[in-house]
Amino acid sequence: TENARLVISHVGDSRAVILRRGESGEALLAQELTEDHRPTDPSERKRIERLGGKVSFEGGSDRVRTGRGAGGLNMSRSIGDAELHSSGVSAHPDVSVRDLAPEDAAVLVASDGIWEVVSATEAAEIVSRFPPSKAMAAAQCLADEATARWLRGTDGEVVDDITVVLAWIDASRHCLDRKTTVSTTVPSLRSIVTDITSEPRSLVVQN
């Protein structure tokens, strides 16, 4: 930006991380910029219950349902899931502003399909293997690693939806570089299994 600032507006459990250059100048260090919106957070849960929603532990995580039992969202804020908005799930974002520093190298934004199986430190290490000119290869490598971990951990049955957005910072102008801003996605394996009952499909990585 003109004032060398990064503005982050965040809802849900996708996460933003800034990658910073270490003392060696090669390895990238990760610093998380957002905090997931979870119904276990006391203030989030209070809002949900005040508006008639319910929080219950199901399938390994706390989920939000309407007073009638509809829903089952494991986030306390969401732009979609309109059915739950009247039961306390909010679309209101947390907004923060960060001054960019010379050591800030890139911004990484990814869905929970990444962060459930790959730590921010591991993600930074993967991206460090590639120069900015190979941003798409770095994003794809991260998505592929997460996919492989989901498949190993669930005996090949589940891959959560995966989206990776990687934006390198133009050091000369202290702004995001459009030429090295890329994204890649991997669809949920559970969605594919549902879809093939009506129309055969294959697992596709969309660039």
Side-chain angles (χ1 to χ4, degrees), residues 84-131:
L84 291 167
H85 286 179
S86 61
S87 298
V89 171
S90 173
H92 184 77
D94 282 337
V95 179
S96 60
V97 179
R98 174 191 173 90
D99 292 329
L100 291 176
E103 59 268 24
D104 293 334
V107 176
L108 175 64
V109 180
S111 64
D112 66 325
I114 291 289
W115 306 120
E116 291 285 343
V117 292
V118 179
S119 70
T121 298
E122 290 173 318
E125 190 279 323
I126 290 172
V127 173
S128 295
R129 303 173 194 169
F130 302 85

Side-chain angles (χ1 to χ4, degrees), residues 28-197:
L28 295 175
L29 307 176
Q31 181 180 344
E32 295 184 2
L33 299 175
T34 59
E35 185 175 342
D36 295 351
H37 293 128
R38 297 294 185 188
T40 49
D41 181 273
S43 62
E44 298 286 300
R45 181 166 187 154
K46 182 178 180 180
R47 183 190 67 248
I48 291 166
E49 293 179 341
R50 177 172 54 83
L51 293 174
K54 296 180 179 180
V55 178
S56 58
F57 189 78
E58 308 171 30
S61 63
D62 288 274
R63 296 182 179 273
V64 182
R65 292 190 179 276
T66 67
R68 303 184 308 277
L73 186 68
N74 66 347
M75 298 177 289
S76 58
R77 301 193 197 186
S78 173
I79 295 175
D81 302 286
E83 162 182 59
L84 291 167
H85 286 179
S86 61
S87 298
V89 171
S90 173
H92 184 77
D94 282 337
V95 179
S96 60
V97 179
R98 174 191 173 90
D99 292 329
L100 291 176
E103 59 268 24
D104 293 334
V107 176
L108 175 64
V109 180
S111 64
D112 66 325
I114 291 289
W115 306 120
E116 291 285 343
V117 292
V118 179
S119 70
T121 298
E122 290 173 318
E125 190 279 323
I126 290 172
V127 173
S128 295
R129 303 173 194 169
F130 302 85
S133 61
K134 299 292 184 181
M136 179 56 78
Q140 192 62 62
C141 184
L142 178 56
D144 290 346
E145 177 62 27
T147 300
R149 293 188 185 190
W150 275 103
L151 292 173
R152 287 197 303 268
T154 64
D155 294 326
E157 294 184 358
V158 175
V159 177
D160 199 1
D161 57 293
I162 291 171
T163 298
V164 178
V165 178
L166 176 62
W168 285 88
I169 296 171
D170 185 333
S172 63
R173 296 187 300 154
H174 295 293
C175 66
L176 300 183
D177 187 349
R178 292 186 179 183
K179 294 180 180 179
T180 53
T181 297
V182 300
S183 66
T184 187
T185 63
V186 178
S188 167
L189 180 59
R190 287 170 295 191
S191 296
I192 293 172
V193 170
T194 301
D195 288 345
I196 62 176
T197 60

